[in-house]
Amino acid sequence: MASVSELYDVGWEEMRDKLRKWREDNSRNSEQIVDVGEELISDHSSKLGDDIWIIYEQVMIAALDCSRDDLALTCLQELRKQFPDSHRVKRLTGMRLEALERYDDANKHYDAILQEDPTNTAARKRKISILKAQGKSTEAIRELNEYLEQFVGDQEAWHELSELYINEHDYGKAAFCLEELMMTNPHNHLYCEQYAEVKYTQGGLENLELSRKYFAQALRLNNRNMRALFGLYMSASHIAASPKVSAKMKKDNMKYATWAAAQINRAYKNRPINLTINV
Amino acid sequence: MLEVALTLIDTWCKENNYIISGYYQANERSKDSRVNQVAEKVASRISDNFSEAAIVMVDNSRLTVSCFEPIVNIYDHHENKWKHRDVTVDSFEDWNEAQKITSALLESRCYENLIDFDNHLDDLRNDWTNPVINKSVLDLC
């Protein structure tokens, strides 16, 4: 099979830069990372300097995603040799055990890290991930709540918790998590839009109105957020169609829905695609 | 956004003489192939418009690139419940063709270019009707 450098006519520097971009974007395109990373490591490791260690880590995790335990082990062994007492590398050892579904061994491993360093957030999050992988959602939720009592500023954790609650259809608690995120990140249009979706799902007139307001807010923060635009249309339409609203509310919401529909049609017309949608 | 997706896809279907006839889902965890609440809700909506709608759940634990065996669980709507249907090679129009085509698509990592409705909402230029992959399927027939 042709190498990546042959197939795409790229040199090792471009491959190294690509890997860096994927790290910065937090992309989980594991098969591509394995393809590029494996070649870079085997053919050009001497040129990479100190970058090689973070590349080993990145490729190792991608290799676990692709069931390439051979590659994962190679990377892990290099890291262990270079950083023998590192908790960061111990976490990678644990992740490999998780990938092999040796959850008890992985847990023992993380517990050992926590013995030495009770504030190690990475080990705690891995333990919660194990609960999630085992389908133990209630326990995962409980552990994550306990974690957040200590590490109340951890946005990734709040977001994970909101997703866990959504999977359990506990929309009230999911909304609470998203409220935390919106408070600390008032300019993040995604949190606004996700909060609006949860409110929409909860249903009922009051929640629909809130959902419309937050879809509108998400749009103000980012006028290209299509989910927010569609959400505004759906929530306003439902409110306008409700028998419980005043004539004024009906009129206002029909106006919002009409405006949103026009924006949606405009968005589709301005993109060169085959579909024409009439909303 | 599920509502948005169903509405838009339904509109497209009517314009192109198609009908939404079922719903397939693959769960996040490899050992979990249960029909969950989401699948039931979506499929119930679909069966409002098409009484013979089916739920197809992918059995993640048996999925392979070669696809020698059908690895889906099929459920039909009977008396407000979703009942499991026994799946054999004869449940399919032409299993051999399907297996060959699917396997070829998996080997060539076609899934890297698969567009779903979420991708479409991220960027409207992403075409959820997947014309490129559909052409590949026809070419492989």
Side-chain angles (χ1 to χ4, degrees):
Chain A
M1 206 177 78
S3 67
V4 169
S5 48
E6 284 167 15
L7 268 175
Y8 299 99
D9 192 23
V10 290
W12 70 270
E13 296 103 324
E14 283 154 283
M15 290 166 72
R16 176 203 57 192
D17 294 342
K18 227 0 191 253
L19 282 180
R20 182 191 302 131
K21 180 168 192 305
W22 288 333
R23 277 197 308 274
E24 287 166 7
D25 293 343
N26 218 353
S27 305
R28 199 169 174 176
N29 50 334
S30 301
E31 278 184 320
Q32 290 177 310
I33 293 174
V34 162
D35 283 346
V36 174
E38 185 170 26
E39 194 173 307
L40 202 58
I41 291 170
S42 63
D43 296 347
H44 306 283
S45 58
S46 51
K47 305 186 191 90
L48 295 168
D50 277 335
D51 271 353
I52 186 126
W53 308 114
I54 200 157
I55 289 174
Y56 273 133
E57 181 184 47
Q58 179 184 17
V59 174
M60 190 225 155
I61 293 175
L64 290 181
D65 266 349
C66 300
S67 264
R68 287 286 313 274
D69 192 50
D70 57 319
L71 180 58
L73 204 48
T74 307
C75 296
L76 187 55
Q77 282 164 344
E78 291 300 317
L79 287 167
R80 277 195 198 134
K81 260 192 295 184
Q82 183 71 8
F83 306 101
D85 294 312
S86 156
H87 278 165
R88 184 163 164 176
V89 175
K90 289 206 172 107
R91 166 190 172 243
L92 293 175
T93 304
M95 284 177 80
R96 178 175 169 265
L97 292 170
E98 286 182 60
L100 297 170
E101 292 184 83
R102 289 167 52 185
Y103 295 123
D104 290 337
D105 288 337
N107 266 320
K108 282 201 200 107
H109 211 75
Y110 297 132
D111 288 334
I113 298 178
L114 287 167
Q115 276 267 11
E116 289 177 25
D117 176 12
T119 67
N120 189 303
T121 57
R124 280 185 77 165
K125 289 198 221 186
R126 287 322 308 166
K127 285 179 63 91
I128 294 170
S129 301
I130 289 177
L131 290 171
K132 201 176 160 195
Q134 293 174 313
K136 297 179 177 164
S137 345
T138 320
E139 290 96 323
I141 288 175
R142 189 189 55 223
E143 292 295 318
L144 197 41
N145 269 299
E146 272 181 39
Y147 171 88
L148 279 165
E149 275 170 34
Q150 243 189 297
F151 300 98
V152 78
D154 190 330
Q155 289 173 35
E156 182 188 55
W158 280 112
H159 201 261
E160 179 67 38
L161 187 55
S162 78
E163 281 180 25
L164 288 176
Y165 277 131
I166 288 172
N167 285 338
E168 297 302 300
H169 309 292
D170 194 339
Y171 298 113
K173 300 216 179 87
F176 177 79
C177 297
L178 287 163
E179 281 162 12
E180 284 289 327
L181 286 166
M182 287 194 295
M183 264 200 308
T184 47
N185 302 273
H187 298 296
N188 186 314
H189 66 107
L190 295 172
Y191 294 150
C192 264
E193 178 254 300
Q194 286 165 21
Y195 179 75
E197 281 195 65
V198 170
K199 285 291 151 193
Y200 183 95
T201 309
Q202 283 181 293
L205 194 52
E206 215 178 289
N207 285 325
L208 276 178
E209 276 197 276
L210 260 177
S211 119
R212 190 205 66 224
K213 289 188 181 140
Y214 278 91
F215 278 129
Q217 178 63 4
L219 267 178
R220 257 179 238 119
L221 293 170
N222 181 336
N223 62 7
R224 308 223 324 254
N225 185 326
M226 280 313 292
R227 289 182 181 80
L229 196 46
F230 274 115
L232 179 56
Y233 172 76
M234 301 292 287
S235 49
S237 303
H238 277 304
I239 295 171
S242 164
K244 298 187 198 147
V245 300
S246 65
K248 178 170 189 322
M249 256 183 84
K250 197 185 187 74
K251 193 161 159 244
D252 286 343
N253 279 282
M254 282 179 71
K255 225 178 32 178
Y256 303 142
T258 308
W259 179 86
Q263 296 303 309
I264 292 170
N265 280 324
R266 222 168 115 234
Y268 274 102
K269 284 203 175 74
N270 291 341
R271 308 276 180 142
I273 51 169
N274 295 324
L275 299 174
T276 43
I277 308 287
N278 288 315
V279 172
Chain B
M1 294 303 125
L2 200 44
E3 217 179 308
V4 171
L6 283 173
T7 310
L8 287 186
I9 295 169
D10 201 42
T11 304
W12 179 90
C13 281
K14 292 197 168 75
E15 290 170 1
N16 291 276
N17 264 316
Y18 281 95
I19 189 165
I20 301 180
S21 59
Y23 173 75
Y24 77 88
Q25 182 171 295
N27 290 332
E28 200 180 19
R29 289 169 43 234
S30 57
K31 295 204 172 82
D32 177 19
S33 52
R34 293 164 308 138
V35 176
N36 61 8
Q37 226 183 80
V38 172
E40 282 197 11
K41 280 216 174 104
V42 175
S44 293
R45 274 286 226 106
I46 293 174
S47 60
D48 284 344
N49 286 351
F50 180 67
S51 55
E52 287 167 63
I55 298 181
V56 176
M57 296 298 296
V58 179
D59 186 346
N60 297 332
S61 62
R62 289 191 297 140
L63 181 60
T64 62
V65 171
S66 56
C67 287
F68 284 131
E69 284 182 346
I71 46 87
V72 292
N73 292 316
I74 304 183
Y75 299 83
D76 303 298
H77 213 198
H78 281 311
E79 295 156 15
N80 267 324
K81 287 206 208 107
W82 290 95
K83 286 179 110 183
H84 187 258
R85 187 206 299 181
D86 276 332
V87 173
T88 64
V89 156
D90 297 321
S91 310
F92 302 85
E93 200 178 280
D94 184 344
W95 173 251
N96 279 325
E97 268 288 274
Q99 178 270 324
K100 264 193 272 164
I101 295 173
T102 312
S103 187
L105 292 174
L106 283 173
E107 292 239 7
S108 61
R109 281 153 66 159
C110 233
Y111 47 81
E112 285 175 359
N113 303 313
L114 186 63
I115 308 261
D116 67 14
F117 210 83
D118 261 328
N119 300 129
H120 178 69
L121 290 173
D122 289 336
D123 183 336
L124 292 184
R125 287 168 297 186
N126 291 329
D127 190 345
W128 52 263
T129 64
N130 288 290
V132 176
I133 295 185
N134 277 314
K135 180 161 187 307
S136 303
V137 171
L138 286 174
D139 288 343
L140 286 165
C141 277

